Amino acid sequence: MSDLKEPKAALRHYLQSIRDALLWKLDGLGERDLRTPRTPTGTNLIGIVKHMANVEIGYFADTFGREWPTPDERISDEDFEADPQADWYATDSETCDGIIDLYRRVWTFANATIEVKEWNDEIVFLHKVRAGAADRSYGIQVAKLAGLPAPVIA
C-alpha cells in the first residue's frame, strides 16, 4: 500500500476500497437479482453501480474539464432532465456486465484525473482540498489559473 499521508495516494486508496466493496456485494448474483428493486423507490443493485459510474464521470470529467471518451455511455443532460432517476436503473438495452465494465473503465479514467490534469497547455497537479485558511496567499496562482492577462497579474 502506498503512503496514505500523500493526498493523492489516500484519495485513490479510499476510492478504490469503496469501489471494490460495492462490486463485492454483487458477487454471485445473476442478472435478475441485480435488477430486482430492493427499495420502495425501485432502486436495485446494478442501478447503484450505474449511478456511481455517472457520479465519478461527472466529477472527474466535468469538474476538471476532461471529456469522457464515450459520451453515449453516460446519462445525457437531456435524459437526466426527462428523468432525474435515469442513472439509478439499467435499461433493457444495458447488461449488468456492461454496466460493471463501464464502472471499471471509469476507475481508470478517474485515477488518471487524480494524478495529473492539463489545463491551458500546462500541467496542474491536483491536491487535497481542506476546509479553513491557507498558510499563505495563492492569489497570483489562482489568477493565472483563471486565465487573467499577464499585465493584470503583474
Side-chain angles (χ1 to χ4, degrees):
M1 180 185 331
S2 59
D3 182 11
L4 295 183
K5 291 181 182 179
E6 196 276 310
K8 291 180 188 180
L11 178 58
R12 283 189 312 272
H13 170 78
Y14 290 114
L15 265 175
Q16 195 58 53
S17 67
I18 297 300
R19 293 164 174 159
D20 290 339
L22 177 56
L23 291 189
W24 170 74
K25 294 175 184 339
L26 310 183
D27 278 352
L29 298 176
E31 188 95 9
R32 180 178 176 179
D33 288 329
L34 293 172
R35 288 177 179 268
T36 300
R38 303 290 178 182
T39 68
T41 61
T43 302
N44 57 46
L45 296 173
I46 200 62
I48 294 170
V49 175
K50 182 177 177 180
H51 175 74
M52 291 310 302
N54 278 277
V55 166
E56 284 199 41
I57 291 170
Y59 184 74
F60 290 104
D62 301 344
T63 301
F64 292 102
R66 295 188 68 207
E67 187 171 323
W68 175 246
T70 50
D72 291 345
E73 291 183 296
R74 70 182 294 189
I75 299 298
S76 69
D77 291 340
E78 295 79 24
D79 289 342
F80 183 76
E81 287 296 320
D83 179 5
Q85 302 298 316
D87 69 341
W88 283 98
Y89 57 86
T91 65
D92 291 340
S93 63
E94 295 174 310
T95 66
C96 293
D97 287 341
I99 291 172
I100 292 168
D101 176 65
L102 168 65
Y103 190 41
R104 290 180 191 275
R105 287 182 289 117
V106 169
W107 300 355
T108 301
F109 179 86
N111 289 344
T113 304
I114 292 167
E115 285 305 309
V116 66
K117 168 75 180 98
E118 288 184 48
W119 191 69
N120 286 347
D121 297 323
E122 291 186 28
I123 294 177
V124 178
F125 292 92
L126 307 177
H127 297 281
K128 184 176 182 180
V129 177
R130 295 184 200 165
D135 59 351
R136 66 186 181 102
S137 173
Y138 292 96
I140 299 296
Q141 292 85 349
V142 171
K144 287 178 182 176
L145 287 173
L148 292 175
V152 173
I153 296 172

